[in-house]
Amino acid sequence: MNLPAVTTGFQAPPLDTEGLEHVLAMHGFMSEDRAAVRAFGRVIQRAELEDVFLRDFLMRDSAPSLPAAAAAEAEFCNELLNVCLWDGGPDWFNRLANLWCACRDVGVDERFAWICTGAMLSACREKLVGGRAEIFQLELDLLTGLVRMVWALSAHLTAISHLRERTLAMIESEGLNTTGVGGRATFNHTLGKLCEVADEDSRLGLMIIRLHAAPAREVLMPTERDRIHRVLQEGWRHVLRYEDVLCCVGENEWALLQPGMRTKAQVLLAANKLREVAQGALARIGLDEGMELLIGGACAPDHGTDAETIERAARDAMSAGTRAHHGITMYGDSVKQALVAENEVEREFLRAIHLQRFELYLQPQIRSSDGHCDSAEALLRWQRADGRWVPPPTIFEIAGRLNQQGRLTRLLIARAARMADELARSGVPVKIALNLTADDVHDPELPDLIEQSMANWRVPIGRLGVELTEGAVLSDKPVVETVLQRMRDLGMTVALDDFGTGYSSLAHLRRLPVDELKIDRQFVNGMHSDRQDAAIIDAVLALAKAMDLETVAEGVETEEQAEALSRLGVDRLQGMWFSSAIPLSRFVTWWLARQQTLAISKA
C-alpha cells in the first residue's frame, strides 16, 4: 500500500566513527567482519550484484505504483548496492539513512528497508556461492560478516524511522522543537511563504548557521549539546527583530529568516552580530575553545526566488567560506566562481584517478656521513589539463571529499612498487618513502595491500618505507599501532614526518613503532637566525639518539645548512640544495651522475 507523501525534510542524525562502531557492536559485528565485507567487495563487483538484484527485486509484483515512491526506492537500492564499496566508515550508513528518510517522506512502506536488505543479501549469496550445496569456510566467513553488517544497518534504519515519527508528531502538535525554536517543517513552510513576497525593496535574508566543533569537541554528551543550544538561542533572541524567524534545522545547525531587509549589507551585519553573540555565550559557559560558528548567507530575490534555490545559495556560500577558512560568507559572484572551479577540479580529479594520471616524483635523501643517496621521498604530483600543478595537500583533501582516499592510496602504492622495480632494474639501490594519511593507517588491511603490491613486482618489501604526520598517528585506537607494527614486521621503515609541528607526546612516541624522525623545514630555515629553532633541532636530535631513531632534515636549501646539520649529527639531509623532487627517469640520471662524482672525489 502506498501512503500519501509527507515532505518533512527530516534529516537523520549522522553517525560518526564511534557511533557506527556502537551500532555495529550492538548487533554482533566484530573486527574480523569488517575485513570480510571488504574482501567480499574485492570478489564480487557491484555490476554483478546489480544484475541479480534488478532481476529479482525491483521487478517484483509489489513494486510501488506512485512515481515518487518508485524513484525513492530505486535511489535507495542504488546506494545499497554500494555494499561492495563499503570502506568500513560511517558515510555509507549516513547516505542510506537520509535516502531512507526520503523514502518515508514519499510514502514508502516502513517494512521496505528490511525487505530490500534481505533481497540484497540473497543476491550476495547467489553471486558468491550460486546453487552449490557445499560452501567453503572462506565463503561462509564472508557471508557471516555481510549478514551481521546488514542486520546492524537494518536496525539502524528502523531506529531512524522511529525517531522521524516522534519528531513529526512533536512538530505537528507544537510547530516547535524541544528548545522552543522552530524546526525544519516550520523553516520549510516559512521560507516558501517569505520568498513569494520578497522583492528588491523588501528583501528576504537567509542565514544558514552551523556550529563547527574541533576534533576534541566533536563528541558531546546530550546534556552538554542541549546546554549549548539553549545559551546560543537565548543569546540570539535578544538581538533579533520581532519579525525574524529562527529555526533549528539540524543537530548543530540553524536557519535565520529575516524579511524586510533593504540591502544585502544588512544581512552581513546581522551575521556578524550573531557570531559575536555566540562567541560570548559560549565563553560564559567555558565552551568557546574548539567551537566555531560558520555562516552562509543569501538574499531573495537577488540570489533566488524560490525556497530551494535560496537555501542552496546560502549553503553554497557556507561551503565556499569553509574551504577558504572564512567564518561568514555571503553568496555572490566570488562564491559562484569558487563553486564552478571546485566542481571542475573535482570532475578532473575523478577523470585523473580513473586514467591513473597521478605521478610520484622522487626527492633524494643524502647520507651526511658520506654523501651517498640510499633513499628518496616519493612526492605526489598532479598536473591539471590547463598546466597548473595541484599541491599534494589539496589532492588529498579532494580525495577525502569525494570518498576516493582509499582508491588514491591503492594507486600510489602500486605506482611506488613499480618505481622500486624500475630503480632495481636500473641498478639504483634506493629505498622509496611513501606518504600515507590518517585514513590509511586506520585500515588494518593496508600492510597486506603493500605486501601484495611489492610481491607483484618481485621487489623486496624493505625497499619501501612510509612517512606519516604526527596528526595521522595521534590516535588511541589500537588499529594504528597494529598497522604500523605489521609494516615494520614486514621489513618496512616508518618515519614520523614534520616532527615538532604537531602534538606528539613522549608517551605516544615511545609507544609507536617508529624508525625515523623528520625535522620540519621551518626549523631548518630558522636554525641560523632563530635560537628557538636551533634549540628545537638540538632537542629532536637528543631525543632521537636516546630512542635509537634515525633523523632526516627536510628543507635543506644552502650549503651552510647542510654542513651545520651534518656536524650536529643529522643522519640524512633532504632539500633543494641537493635536488628538487624529479621524475623517475631524471632521478636515475641524477643518481648515477652523483655516484660518479663521489667516486672521482675519492680517487
Side-chain angles (χ1 to χ4, degrees):
M1 176 180 179
N2 292 303
L3 302 175
V6 182
T7 304
T8 66
F10 174 82
Q11 295 290 304
L15 287 173
D16 57 14
T17 302
E18 185 177 351
L20 174 62
E21 294 300 326
H22 178 69
V23 169
L24 292 171
M26 285 178 60
H27 297 87
F29 191 87
M30 296 180 287
S31 57
E32 57 266 30
D33 293 327
R34 182 176 272 99
V37 176
R38 289 177 177 172
F40 174 82
R42 290 195 292 269
V43 174
I44 303 299
Q45 300 298 308
R46 186 190 189 282
E48 301 176 76
L49 194 61
E50 185 175 355
D51 289 340
V52 178
F53 190 87
L54 288 174
R55 183 191 69 213
D56 294 343
F57 183 67
L58 289 185
M59 303 305 295
R60 69 195 189 283
D61 292 336
S62 59
S65 57
L66 293 180
E73 284 191 7
E75 192 170 0
F76 178 85
C77 291
N78 182 61
E79 185 59 43
L80 184 66
L81 288 170
N82 285 332
V83 63
C84 298
L85 307 176
W86 185 49
D87 62 359
D91 291 346
W92 185 60
F93 274 64
N94 289 331
R95 289 194 298 271
L96 282 169
N98 281 321
L99 288 172
W100 177 234
C101 290
C103 284
R104 298 291 291 132
D105 277 355
V106 294
V108 174
D109 192 284
E110 62 182 4
R111 296 167 296 178
F112 175 77
W114 289 94
I115 297 170
C116 182
T117 51
M120 190 268 289
L121 279 176
S122 296
C124 290
R125 185 186 188 284
E126 179 174 339
K127 292 307 301 180
L128 191 62
V129 301
R132 286 188 283 112
E134 181 182 8
I135 301 179
F136 298 107
Q137 183 61 47
L138 177 60
E139 294 167 340
L140 182 61
D141 290 342
L142 299 188
L143 287 172
T144 300
L146 277 170
V147 168
R148 287 172 175 162
M149 185 271 288
V150 172
W151 180 266
L153 171 65
S154 300
H156 176 60
L157 296 179
T158 299
I160 292 296
S161 285
H162 293 163
L163 176 62
R164 173 184 176 274
E165 298 304 323
R166 290 196 303 271
T167 303
L168 293 185
M170 181 179 63
I171 290 174
E172 184 175 358
S173 62
E174 300 177 9
L176 302 171
N177 67 11
T178 54
T179 57
V181 173
R184 181 76 207 194
T186 301
F187 169 71
N188 288 340
H189 176 77
T190 308
L191 178 60
K193 292 295 183 182
L194 292 178
C195 279
E196 293 175 1
V197 298
D199 57 36
E200 293 184 358
D201 295 322
S202 180
R203 291 176 167 84
L204 169 65
L206 169 63
M207 293 181 218
I208 300 295
I209 309 161
R210 182 179 301 155
L211 185 63
H212 174 73
R217 290 285 192 187
E218 282 182 348
V219 181
L220 295 173
M221 295 296 292
T223 54
E224 194 173 23
R225 184 178 62 247
D226 290 345
R227 185 184 180 200
I228 290 173
H229 284 210
R230 283 196 301 273
V231 298
L232 288 179
Q233 291 164 182
E234 186 62 32
W236 287 335
R237 283 197 191 96
H238 293 303
V239 297
L240 296 181
R241 304 174 305 165
Y242 174 78
E243 60 269 35
D244 293 340
V245 180
L246 179 67
C247 299
C248 186
V249 294
E251 183 175 358
N252 285 315
E253 190 173 270
W254 297 263
L256 178 63
L257 296 162
Q258 293 189 295
M261 305 295 276
R262 294 188 301 276
T263 66
K264 290 177 281 187
Q266 285 182 296
V267 180
L268 182 60
L269 288 172
N272 278 287
K273 186 62 177 177
L274 288 185
R275 199 160 188 261
E276 178 185 333
V277 169
Q279 289 170 340
L282 292 172
R284 283 193 296 274
I285 61 173
L287 290 174
D288 53 324
E289 292 293 331
M291 294 286 187
E292 182 184 12
L293 209 67
L294 305 175
I295 301 178
C299 290
D302 306 79
H303 306 136
T305 57
D306 61 86
E308 182 177 352
T309 303
I310 195 67
E311 182 179 359
R312 171 51 56 195
R315 292 190 177 279
D316 284 347
M318 176 185 285
S319 177
T322 302
R323 302 266 193 274
H325 305 289
H326 295 159
I328 300 173
T329 307
M330 288 295 296
Y331 189 80
D333 290 341
S334 61
V335 170
K336 287 188 286 187
Q337 292 167 5
L339 290 171
V340 169
E342 183 179 292
N343 290 335
E344 177 57 33
V345 75
E346 288 179 352
R347 285 194 295 270
E348 197 169 336
F349 174 91
L350 293 173
R351 289 196 298 270
I353 203 167
H354 177 70
L355 299 173
Q356 300 189 7
R357 288 180 176 167
F358 295 99
E359 298 292 338
L360 287 174
Y361 280 22
L362 297 176
Q363 185 170 36
Q365 295 177 346
I366 307 299
R367 289 204 308 254
S368 60
S369 58
D370 56 15
H372 283 276
C373 171
D374 60 0
S375 58
E377 181 179 0
L379 296 168
L380 178 59
R381 294 291 184 264
W382 174 35
Q383 187 175 28
R384 297 184 59 187
D386 60 7
R388 286 181 294 170
W389 292 91
V390 182
T394 303
I395 299 174
F396 287 118
E397 179 189 339
I398 297 170
R401 197 160 67 231
L402 298 178
N403 200 29
Q404 295 291 316
Q405 181 57 55
R407 187 177 178 187
L408 178 61
T409 298
R410 291 192 295 273
L411 185 155
L412 296 181
I413 289 172
R415 184 66 50 85
R418 190 185 75 184
M419 291 175 74
D421 174 63
E422 292 181 14
L423 287 172
R425 291 175 184 273
S426 301
V428 180
V430 169
K431 180 179 68 179
I432 297 174
L434 182 66
N435 288 281
L436 297 179
T437 69
D439 288 339
D440 295 330
V441 292
H442 282 80
D443 182 358
E445 298 176 12
L446 177 67
D448 297 324
L449 175 62
I450 295 175
E451 184 179 26
Q452 183 61 54
S453 295
M454 297 297 281
N456 289 342
W457 289 96
R458 295 179 173 85
V459 179
I461 197 168
R463 296 291 293 275
L464 184 67
V466 296
E467 293 189 5
L468 302 118
T469 63
E470 293 182 58
V473 298
L474 255 185
S475 171
D476 291 326
K477 295 185 177 178
V479 66
V480 174
E481 187 174 349
T482 301
V483 167
L484 297 184
Q485 186 60 58
R486 170 75 172 136
M487 288 193 290
R488 285 190 73 194
D489 292 343
L490 290 171
M492 301 172 63
T493 56
V494 178
L496 198 57
D497 201 5
D498 301 337
F499 187 73
T501 63
Y503 308 97
S504 283
S505 66
L506 291 178
H508 271 97
L509 189 58
R510 181 168 55 83
R511 177 173 53 82
L512 290 170
V514 174
D515 303 287
E516 298 175 0
L517 298 182
K518 296 195 73 177
I519 303 170
D520 187 70
R521 67 182 61 248
Q522 74 181 52
F523 305 127
V524 173
N525 289 340
M527 64 182 296
H528 292 299
S529 58
D530 190 315
R531 295 174 63 182
Q532 288 185 335
D533 286 344
I536 289 174
I537 293 177
D538 288 338
V540 171
L541 292 174
L543 177 63
K545 183 177 181 180
M547 302 187 71
D548 197 24
L549 301 175
E550 294 276 308
T551 52
V552 182
E554 294 184 296
V556 181
E557 298 183 353
T558 67
E559 184 178 11
E560 181 185 19
Q561 291 172 344
E563 291 177 349
L565 291 165
S566 298
R567 286 195 304 269
L568 289 171
V570 176
D571 295 297
R572 295 199 305 280
L573 310 173
Q574 176 182 345
M576 294 292 291
W577 174 248
F578 304 102
S579 172
S580 60
I582 50 180
L584 178 64
S585 59
R586 286 177 56 195
F587 179 84
V588 170
T589 301
W590 175 92
W591 190 90
L592 294 173
R594 183 172 182 84
Q595 289 298 105
Q596 185 176 12
T597 301
L598 290 172
I600 292 173
S601 66
K602 290 180 179 179

